[in-house]
Amino acid sequence: VKPYFGQGANSALEDVSVLAKCLGECGDDPAAAAASFDEARAEQARALVRTSRSFDGRGPLGTARFLVPLLLDIQLNKLLPRVFSPPMLRGLQDERNTFVGLRRTKRRERA
């Protein structure tokens, strides 16, 4: 996760909370706790990494691939806030959102 993305520490705290719950539920079976943790967090972790990587495009158009969708999201949200959600970075600041949920929302809006 990119340092400026600001979600690495938040995700780590969520991981600790979920891991503690899994360890409590699985008692003396660390393998079962690890499997339970993986099942509980894998999808969110994948979504976080994909989202983070999408912010840094490679090559000469890398910055444009980051800025164009961001600027488009800002304008569409201003014009039609009931139809288009705020930009991804703003959505991540709302603790009610999940990485998976935000990615799905943006994919649907951009289709």
Side-chain angles (χ1 to χ4, degrees), residues 1-74:
V1 178
K2 310 291 187 277
Y4 58 82
F5 188 53
Q7 294 301 313
N10 293 340
S11 183
L13 291 172
E14 289 178 23
D15 286 347
V16 168
S17 175
V18 171
L19 181 58
K21 181 181 174 192
C22 293
L23 288 167
E25 291 173 351
C26 295
D28 292 336
D29 189 352
S36 178
F37 173 79
D38 186 52
E39 184 178 327
R41 291 295 294 159
E43 185 178 17
Q44 289 296 327
R46 279 191 295 275
L48 170 59
V49 170
R50 285 185 190 121
T51 300
S52 179
R53 287 181 181 165
S54 74
F55 289 147
D56 280 343
R58 294 184 181 178
L61 296 178
T63 301
R65 279 183 262 175
F66 167 71
L67 288 177
V68 170
L70 177 65
L71 296 173
L72 185 60
D73 281 349
I74 290 169

Side-chain angles (χ1 to χ4, degrees), residues 68-91:
V68 170
L70 177 65
L71 296 173
L72 185 60
D73 281 349
I74 290 169
Q75 293 306 313
L76 289 173
N77 178 249
K78 283 182 182 178
L79 293 171
L80 300 164
R82 292 184 181 177
V83 178
F84 295 99
S85 64
M88 178 75 81
L89 292 173
R90 193 174 327 148

